Structures are given as C-alpha cells and as structure tokens.
Amino acid sequence: MPTTEIIGIVQFVKRELLPIEQLWEESEQGKLAKVSRAQFDAYYANQESGIGVWVGGAELLLSSDRTRADNARTGATAGSHRSRFSN
C-alpha cells in the first residue's frame, strides 16, 4: 500500500462462519456491523453463509485529521507505530 493510516486498534474476540440469516441475527440485526438490512442483503446476495468477525476493546489512537497533520509534520508512517502492537 502506498499510503496507510492507523487510527485505532481492536481486540479480536471471535470469528464464525454462519448461515446468512443467523449472521444477521448474531449481528443484532445489523446494529453491531452498523449496516441496514438492504446493505447486508446486497453484500451477501447469492451466498449461503458468511463470516462474522467480532471485536472489542476499541481504542482510537488519534483522530484521522490529527493523524494526517502529525504524520505530515513528523514524517511518521504506519511502520513507526508498530511498537504499540503485538501479534
């Protein structure tokens, strides 16, 4: 990627392969994924199952505008933030 930006981190909770209707229910009718039923149905059109990825512990590192300004000023890149993360 020629340009990247890290704006936050999340903790991986679980990943599940589910039938489409069950995935919709597990996402609390799109509330967790922040999508409408129409968006969900369009994305999963002609699919029998889908993968849900649950995350938690979201942490915003910097606002997007501030990150861009700071990176421009300091020359910081995504790689320079790597020490904050572990595998």
Side-chain angles (χ1 to χ4, degrees):
M1 290 182 269
T3 304
T4 60
E5 184 175 358
I6 298 171
I7 62 169
I9 58 175
V10 296
Q11 179 183 19
F12 174 81
V13 175
K14 67 179 178 176
R15 174 189 176 274
E16 290 185 298
L17 177 64
L18 299 169
I20 297 302
E21 193 57 37
Q22 187 178 353
L23 182 58
W24 176 251
E25 293 300 319
E26 292 288 326
S27 75
E28 296 181 12
Q29 294 74 39
K31 291 177 190 165
L32 294 177
K34 307 248 189 270
V35 297
S36 69
R37 183 64 198 235
Q39 292 168 316
F40 182 90
D41 288 343
Y43 186 81
Y44 287 108
N46 302 314
Q47 301 298 312
E48 292 181 17
S49 61
I51 296 175
V53 178
W54 281 256
V55 298
E59 178 186 343
L60 181 63
L61 299 176
L62 293 172
S63 72
S64 186
D65 291 338
R66 182 172 172 195
T67 300
R68 277 194 280 280
D70 288 350
N71 288 350
R73 183 176 45 78
T74 65
T77 64
S80 67
H81 297 290
R82 189 167 293 137
S83 62
R84 293 200 57 177
F85 300 92
S86 65
N87 294 333

